[in-house]
Amino acid sequence: MSSLSKVGWIGAGRMGVPMAGFILKAGYPVVVYSRSAASRGKLVAQGAVEATSVAQCACETEVVFSCVSDDTALREVALGLQGVLINAKPNTVFIDTSTVSAEVSAEIAEEARKIGIPYLRIPISGNAA
């Protein structure tokens, strides 16, 4: 990944904000989407560009991270009509950091494989404190 690669970040909650903040501090341009405008604003204040949808975040970046709350949210973010897999450019790398079930993660991995999108599963645990 070059220093010019745009990074998409979906999910700006307690864990997402600091994680995306580290990417910004490393010098990468970040496009952020989160359901909460206030959460997006925390990253925009650090230099991120605000996306108005998951689709916009996916289609404008080369690497997309997701850090969402549960199986339902990840399914929507990854597989929905406005989701990452439908809207990502070819060769976009999709990295999910959400702590979700192995079944949903495997389902998304299979769908990503079918369309040739590299999908990495790196669940996190802990808290931002």
Side-chain angles (χ1 to χ4, degrees), residues 71-119:
D71 286 356
T72 301
L74 181 57
R75 232 187 221 115
E76 182 179 335
V77 161
L79 304 174
L81 292 177
Q82 295 294 308
V84 173
L85 296 183
I86 291 175
N87 293 284
K89 295 180 286 198
N91 300 315
T92 296
V93 177
F94 181 29
I95 303 168
D96 179 53
T97 66
S98 310
T99 304
V100 296
S101 73
E103 293 80 16
V104 168
S105 191
E107 174 186 349
I108 292 163
E110 177 60 19
E111 293 303 314
R113 185 197 61 74
K114 287 178 185 175
I115 61 171
I117 297 286
Y119 175 65

Side-chain angles (χ1 to χ4, degrees), residues 19-80:
M19 290 171 65
F22 288 126
I23 294 170
L24 282 162
K25 286 177 188 170
Y28 291 91
V30 174
V31 177
V32 62
Y33 175 77
S34 189
R35 292 178 292 189
S36 163
S39 293
R40 290 190 307 264
K42 292 175 185 176
L43 289 169
V44 169
Q46 295 178 48
V49 173
E50 184 174 14
T52 59
S53 67
V54 170
Q56 179 187 358
C57 191
C59 75
E60 292 184 2
T61 58
E62 289 82 34
V63 177
V64 179
F65 284 85
S66 59
C67 186
V68 297
S69 59
D70 57 30
D71 286 356
T72 301
L74 181 57
R75 232 187 221 115
E76 182 179 335
V77 161
L79 304 174

